[in-house]
Every structure is written in structure tokens, then in C-alpha cells.
Amino acid sequence: MPENRTTSPNPPHDLQRSERDAEAVEPRRRGSRKSAGGVTLRDVAQLAGVAPITASRALNTPSAVSPKVLQKVREAVEKTGYVPNLLAGGLASNKSRLVAVVVPTVIGPVFQEIVHTLTETLAAAGYQVMLGQSGYENSREDALLEAIIGRRPDGVVLTGIMRSAEARKRLLASGIPVVETWDLTPTPIDMLVGFSHEAIGREVARYLHQRGRKKVAVVGGRDERSQRRMNAFAQECVALGMHEGRAPLPMHHVTAPTTLGQGRQGLAELLQAQPDLDAIFCSSDLLALGVMIEAQSRGITIPEQLAVVGFGDLEFSRDLQPRLTTVRIDGTGIGQRAARFIIDRAAGIEVAERVVDVGFSIIARDSA
């Protein structure tokens, strides 16, 4: 469909405010910016041969100026390298075009799929992602969220459920759309896309029980979500009579984010206490890889003597020998849903289904 362009002598009130805000902010900063070689909106307008208000209009609402003027302004922007003052535009439109995404760690490969999908989906709608690393301590998460809320993004996507009462109160008071992910709760802050960690633990226990495994153990991270998976697994194993129905199950806890080396050490220590283990459930694929390497170095065959199950279905899992049995989470689906929630709410569209359980899948391969 051809693009319709109209020239309006009386721009909308929000556009007029945006232009006034831009002009108000620019002069106050011009002295310091020019001394450092900065380019202002007035510089762009002068080069394009138009008034500053027209240049602002061309940048903020291209359809409000003629094609000839738009071309001149764009050429001036390209020549000068000018970057529009988004703060000034945000004062008028109340939109930052930024979405804050908070993950426990930026080096954890299990979160890469959801972050990539969020970034791509939001970018297609004109939003940019501001990525924050909260760590696995609630105190750091509170401080990070305080800084994020102060910048008034158009949405916040959290990895996990917000447990801090103070942070929940601040997020609710801010009015910013919030999507919690990677977990489930009956009391979400706003919107939620996730899955049940307890259900994963129980289902993995049943999976190993059906395959005749009797003496099982766990190698898991100390983070809260991992602990809930591991505890549910242990409880179900005892209920099924595995490990001779005794509690607690042998568990080796490691710091998060987890590593391959921790997996090797975990299996070594578990075997010292119980040499006849026949199955290990790991809270990450990296831990599972470490367990497999340690087992093979000791001459323990997988899966004949020891079954190994991971979590995350990382890319290397299907390329190992033997291939790793693991739990698959639809990170792409979570990212797409979360992004759509933010986009719709920012556009004033009511979100009917605010809680979505994407579930999980056990990917049965050679290691179990």
C-alpha cells in the first residue's frame, strides 16, 4: 500500500510539547555539548535549511512534513551524526521505547534463548532492550530494580518470581507493565509466562523410576528455583520407593551459576558416600556434562551403570556421546509471549490471559 503523507500546519498537542521539550533541553546543554564537539538539533536544522521545530517534526513524526523536507533533514542527520534526545521526547510522549530485562546472570547459557527472542521481538515493534544482571541474591535484585524503575522503561521482564515485598510494592506503585517469567505463582505482580519447577522435579523422578533406577542422587545449584526442582525430585523419589524409600536423598549443592567442574566434583563426592549410585539428576546441562566426564574418567559406563539427566537442553546436549537426556524449556515461546504482553500493554490493549504456563518436555536421549 502506498505511504500516505500529509502536511499539517497544526501538529498534535503531544508533538508540539515534544518539540518544545526538545528545544528547552537543547539550549540548556548547548554550551557544554558544543565545547565537546556535540551536535544539537539546531545544527541539524541549520544544515537542512529548515526551522528547528520542523527538524524536530521530521524526526518525531515524518508523515507531518513533506518528502522533500524529510529527505533534507535525514541527510543532515547522516552528515552530522546527530542522535535525537530521547529524554526530551519521552517527557512529552511518556514513552521511553525501552524494556528492561532482568536475568540472574548474563553468562548463563540457559537464559540466552529467552533474551535473544525478547530482543528480536521487541526490536521489531520499535523497542530496545536494557539488560540487567541481578545475580542470585535478592538484595542485588532490589537495588537493580530501584535503578530501573527510576528510568521509567515501558516494561520490565523478570526472570523468576519477585519474592521481595519491597520490590513488589515499588513495581506495583510505578504502574510499569511487568512480566515475570521462568516460574509460576498464584500471585503474580502483573503478567506471567512460565512453568513449574516442582512439576519438573516430580516428572524426572517418575521418568527414572519407569526405567528401573533405584539409587539416585542430585547435583544442583543453591539458587532458589533449582532447589525447588531438586527437593520435589527427592520427595517423589522417596514416595516411589527409590533409594530404598529413605530420605534424604544424597545431594551435592553448588554455587550458581553452575559449571562443568562443579559437576565433576559433585559426582566424585557422591560416589565416596555411595559408590553404587545408578542415576543422577542435575540442575543444569553444564553440571550434567561434568558428571558424565567424571564418570567416564572412572570407567563408569553411561547409561548402563549410571543414568544422567540435565536441565536446559543446551545446544551441546544433543551432540555429546552419549547424547544427554535433559529437560527442555521453550525459551523462544516465553520470550515471544512476554514481549507481546509488553507491546500490547504499551499500546493500551487489554491482556485477557495474564498467566501462561508453557510447560516443559523431557527430551529422552542416550544418557538415561
Side-chain angles (χ1 to χ4, degrees):
M1 179 181 293
E3 182 178 359
N4 294 321
R5 298 182 185 274
T6 58
T7 302
S8 172
N10 297 309
H13 293 304
D14 60 341
L15 177 58
Q16 291 176 329
R17 288 195 301 270
S18 176
E19 292 161 350
R20 288 197 300 270
D21 288 333
E23 292 299 305
V25 172
E26 292 282 3
R28 288 198 298 271
R29 299 184 175 181
R30 189 176 302 118
S32 59
R33 291 175 66 187
K34 289 294 284 185
S35 63
V39 178
T40 69
L41 180 63
R42 287 185 180 275
D43 297 326
V44 172
Q46 184 176 10
L47 184 59
V50 299
I53 194 170
T54 303
S56 177
R57 192 177 303 162
L59 293 173
N60 291 298
T61 312
S63 61
V65 301
S66 69
K68 184 177 179 180
V69 168
L70 181 61
Q71 182 64 25
K72 286 182 178 181
V73 173
R74 285 178 172 172
E75 288 175 356
V77 168
E78 185 175 348
K79 288 178 181 178
T80 60
Y82 173 72
V83 177
N85 190 318
L86 297 181
L87 174 61
L91 292 173
S93 67
N94 202 30
K95 298 294 182 184
S96 66
R97 310 304 294 181
L98 284 175
V99 174
V101 177
V102 180
V103 295
T105 173
V106 296
I107 64 172
V110 74
F111 301 118
Q112 290 175 358
E113 185 179 355
I114 183 173
V115 171
H116 173 77
T117 303
L118 276 166
T119 302
E120 293 298 310
T121 307
L122 289 167
Y127 292 87
Q128 298 300 319
V129 165
M130 177 172 59
L131 187 62
Q133 176 177 282
S134 64
Y136 288 93
E137 300 295 332
N138 288 337
S139 59
R140 287 183 57 187
E141 189 173 55
D142 287 353
L144 176 60
L145 283 172
E146 183 175 353
I148 287 172
I149 293 170
R151 286 160 176 79
R152 289 300 187 271
D154 290 337
V156 176
V157 179
L158 303 174
T159 302
I161 299 303
M162 176 50 60
R163 305 287 176 184
S164 166
E166 183 62 27
R168 283 179 64 92
K169 182 172 68 175
R170 292 189 178 187
L171 284 168
L172 285 167
S174 73
I176 299 171
V178 177
V179 184
E180 294 164 286
T181 68
W182 214 253
D183 209 339
L184 286 180
T185 177
T187 57
I189 295 174
D190 187 2
M191 299 169 284
L192 186 150
V193 188
F195 54 91
S196 169
H197 293 271
E198 291 83 358
I200 288 173
R202 291 190 294 268
E203 196 60 33
V204 171
R206 294 167 191 151
Y207 177 90
L208 291 172
H209 180 258
Q210 290 168 1
R211 282 151 184 80
R213 303 295 170 166
K214 299 181 183 300
K215 296 183 178 180
V216 296
V218 165
V219 179
R222 289 195 178 93
D223 60 284
E224 189 262 346
R225 288 179 292 277
S226 171
Q227 288 293 300
R228 286 193 282 120
R229 285 197 302 276
M230 300 300 105
N231 290 336
F233 172 81
Q235 292 167 8
E236 187 68 14
C237 285
V238 171
L240 292 170
M242 302 165 71
H243 200 67
E244 299 177 349
R246 297 197 308 268
L249 259 64
M251 288 192 179
H252 180 81
H253 301 283
V254 301
T255 57
T258 56
T259 66
L260 182 155
Q262 291 171 331
R264 293 197 66 170
Q265 181 182 1
L267 178 60
E269 293 191 10
L270 286 169
L271 289 175
Q272 285 182 348
Q274 187 164 340
D276 59 345
L277 289 174
D278 64 6
I280 301 279
F281 180 31
C282 301
S283 69
S284 74
D285 284 354
L286 279 174
L287 285 175
L289 175 57
V291 166
M292 292 172 68
I293 291 173
E294 183 65 24
Q296 291 169 346
S297 74
R298 293 168 176 260
I300 299 172
T301 58
I302 299 173
E304 291 80 7
Q305 293 175 273
L306 182 69
V308 181
V309 179
F311 173 85
D313 193 26
L314 301 184
E315 189 172 351
F316 67 77
S317 301
R318 64 186 70 96
D319 297 321
L320 296 177
Q321 185 58 39
R323 298 176 304 154
L324 177 62
T325 296
T326 185
V327 178
R328 164 73 178 157
I329 303 300
D330 185 8
T332 296
I334 293 175
Q336 289 174 341
R337 288 271 194 158
R340 193 71 254 168
F341 278 169
I342 296 294
I343 294 166
D344 286 349
R345 283 284 296 279
I349 301 173
E350 181 65 25
V351 175
E353 186 182 11
R354 294 196 174 194
V355 177
V356 177
D357 182 352
V358 299
F360 59 89
S361 303
I362 295 180
I363 308 300
R365 300 193 182 107
D366 305 329
S367 71

